[in-house]
Amino acid sequence: MAAGGVHQLCRDKNTVMKRILIVEDEAAIREMVIFALTRAGFEVDEAADAAEAQTRVFERLPDLVLLDWMLPDSSGIDLARRFKRDKAAHEMPIIMVTARGEEDDNIRGLEAGADDYVTKPFSPRELVARIRAVLRRISPLEDEGLEVNGLHLDQASHRITSHGKPVDLGPTEFRLLQFFMTHPERVYSRNQLIDRVWGGTAYIEERTVDVHVRRLRKALESHQHDRLIQTVRGAGYRFSPQM
Ligand code: CA
């Protein structure tokens, strides 16, 4: 069964609706997602397999792809890699949809260039929150700052303040903090941080990550924010406002 067609509830002339492509072979899940995303104000396009997904993407680039891991004609991760290698599609954000208990898949998905993942079964609310977080991360509004417990990072001006007082950071520490603040509540290994903060092509030793994390903590310490960056033994680092 072909899964073509664009779903949308309404279109406000003044706002550009974000277009999400859902790639999923199970019609019931696809319909649930389409319903939830349409209600949340997204325009939704659908594809039931990898071939159809490619056609849709190259017809018109969506703002984000929700990509199921298990597809009948290709694995979702292979398709993600293909998109990430493609000149036109490589910047298109991808959220992988994986099965419960396949933690390895989640990590492989991120390594293949996916921006995030959701695990089945997911609630519509969780899905919408993840999509919004990724879209915000990709194109933060010019004047939109990030704020956690009084620590404020302004992405447009690269200024950081704590309860209004300036916090002085080097460029690497700034990028590290920006990454942490846009990816809270998740543990990142040193290698993942190298990939995401320094970029995949940089040759950086794991110890270098520790050095920059230490510097960042030191800069945050005098403002009592150093505990936001937590060491997770044997795993890496986590940014969390909770202890
Ligand atoms: Ca599937």
Side-chain angles (χ1 to χ4, degrees):
M1 187 189 76
V6 173
H7 304 258
Q8 60 181 90
L9 206 61
C10 58
R11 181 188 276 277
D12 183 335
K13 278 195 205 95
N14 301 315
T15 57
V16 181
M17 283 174 101
K18 293 286 183 188
R19 221 166 124 269
I20 314 293
L21 172 66
I22 163 148
V23 187
E24 165 65 75
D25 54 312
E26 284 170 70
I29 296 178
R30 220 165 49 224
E31 276 157 28
M32 182 274 272
V33 169
I34 290 167
F35 181 74
L37 296 188
T38 308
R39 273 190 66 162
F42 294 106
E43 189 180 326
V44 190
D45 198 0
E46 56 178 310
D49 56 39
E52 200 184 355
Q54 292 209 66
T55 308
R56 296 261 171 269
V57 163
F58 297 124
E59 267 169 11
R60 194 178 151 205
L61 211 59
D63 294 299
L64 183 146
V65 177
L66 199 61
L67 183 52
D68 187 41
W69 189 273
M70 296 283 281
L71 294 169
D73 55 342
S74 159
S75 74
I77 193 167
D78 284 342
L79 186 57
R81 283 204 191 95
R82 245 174 285 154
F83 286 144
K84 289 295 168 184
R85 277 198 302 263
D86 183 81
K87 216 173 162 187
H90 76 282
E91 282 188 334
M92 174 183 71
I94 296 173
I95 297 180
M96 297 291 310
V97 180
T98 59
R100 197 218 293 265
E102 304 291 334
E103 195 55 32
D104 275 2
D105 286 354
N106 298 335
I107 291 164
R108 283 171 57 209
L110 294 176
E111 280 169 359
D115 298 87
D116 203 350
Y117 57 83
V118 285
T119 304
K120 284 180 185 171
F122 49 80
S123 70
R125 185 192 280 191
E126 182 195 353
L127 180 67
V128 169
R130 292 237 172 263
I131 289 174
R132 290 215 169 109
V134 169
L135 289 174
R136 229 178 359 246
R137 204 185 289 163
I138 302 304
S139 54
L141 296 172
E142 275 301 295
D143 56 352
E144 190 187 24
L146 299 159
E147 167 125 24
V148 176
N149 293 0
L151 180 69
H152 185 93
L153 186 149
D154 189 290
Q155 312 211 66
S157 68
H158 275 221
R159 275 199 193 98
I160 298 155
T161 52
S162 165
H163 299 287
K165 289 181 191 141
V167 179
D168 210 15
L169 288 186
T172 305
E173 286 72 35
F174 178 87
R175 284 208 310 277
L176 198 54
L177 181 62
Q178 187 178 32
F179 178 79
F180 278 135
M181 287 180 84
T182 47
H183 298 73
E185 302 298 344
R186 222 165 231 179
V187 180
Y188 287 90
S189 71
R190 289 165 179 80
N191 268 319
Q192 284 172 328
L193 288 172
I194 291 170
D195 270 4
R196 310 293 288 274
V197 176
W198 279 265
T201 53
Y203 182 76
I204 303 286
E205 284 185 62
E206 293 199 2
R207 280 180 39 228
T208 309
V209 177
D210 297 331
V211 170
H212 288 285
V213 168
R214 211 176 305 138
R215 277 189 205 153
L216 177 56
R217 276 193 182 132
K218 200 158 191 303
L220 296 178
E221 203 178 357
S222 48
H223 303 273
Q224 277 92 46
H225 290 303
D226 51 307
R227 288 188 169 185
L228 288 170
I229 298 158
Q230 300 155 10
T231 304
V232 182
R233 202 164 292 181
Y237 294 103
R238 173 182 57 216
F239 182 88
S240 171
Q242 288 132 45
M243 285 296 113

